[in-house]
Amino acid sequence: MNKQEIMEFLNSNPIFHMATADGDTPHVRGMLLYRADEKGIVFNTGKIKDLYHQLSKNPKVELCFTNGIFENLIQVRITGTVEAIEDLELKKEIVAKREFLKPWIDKVGYEQLAVYIVKKGSATVWTMATNTDPKEYIQL
């Protein structure tokens, strides 16, 4: 896959898992992509979450996207560093497209919504067919 194909894959398979570290303890959780494009990979969380505190201390992450098709599994792993985005219009856009966030935002306000971007990640693609091949990395 090239960079464009990877971005299309991410947007077509928006549920991913993210790994962070809290000291020497790793943490992995499921996440929902907001968008992936030439600017980077955008996602959000709440400032009350452990994830927010972990990213504040250590912004290095690994993201793992899959197509979820066991017979033809494709996995894209991306390592990179997150940057916080404080953009009220982007936050409003995210909430408008994610109705499940609206009651929470109505209660606590947009300030509690944390938005992040991974700008210059490094991706590697894995399939069963390439399982034992050396990894190739694509700069995003």
Side-chain angles (χ1 to χ4, degrees):
M1 282 187 196
N2 62 33
K3 181 178 177 178
Q4 182 61 36
E5 291 168 329
I6 288 172
M7 293 302 172
E8 290 171 9
F9 182 87
L10 303 185
N11 286 306
S12 296
N13 300 280
I15 297 171
F16 67 98
H17 286 83
M18 176 187 292
T20 60
D22 187 2
D24 64 351
T25 304
H27 296 275
V28 177
R29 82 277 293 145
M31 298 288 296
L32 180 59
L33 173 72
Y34 181 63
R35 72 171 173 240
D37 57 28
E38 68 282 346
K39 294 176 186 172
I41 300 164
V42 178
F43 64 92
N44 62 277
T45 190
K47 292 183 179 179
I48 59 168
K49 300 274 194 157
D50 291 342
L51 173 59
Y52 172 78
H53 298 291
Q54 291 162 8
L55 294 175
S56 296
K57 292 178 187 171
N58 181 354
K60 294 181 180 178
V61 297
E62 183 168 85
L63 316 177
C64 183
F65 292 79
T66 71
N67 63 350
I69 303 168
F70 179 75
E71 298 79 13
N72 186 28
L73 188 63
I74 299 171
Q75 176 177 271
V76 176
R77 291 172 51 191
I78 301 164
T79 56
T81 302
V82 300
E83 294 178 23
I85 302 174
E86 284 299 332
D87 179 338
L88 181 58
E89 292 308 310
L90 177 58
K91 289 180 179 186
K92 288 179 178 180
E93 178 184 317
I94 290 169
V95 172
K97 291 185 179 177
R98 297 188 168 166
E99 285 292 319
F100 65 90
L101 289 174
K102 190 164 180 5
W104 178 67
I105 293 298
D106 288 344
K107 182 178 178 183
V108 301
Y110 285 99
E111 176 56 35
Q112 291 302 308
L113 182 63
V115 180
Y116 292 97
I117 188 168
V118 178
K119 287 187 179 178
K120 297 179 181 175
S122 177
T124 186
V125 179
W126 176 95
T127 68
M128 286 299 268
T130 62
N131 188 28
T132 58
D133 294 353
K135 290 181 179 138
E136 293 182 25
Y137 293 91
I138 297 100
Q139 294 304 306
L140 303 178

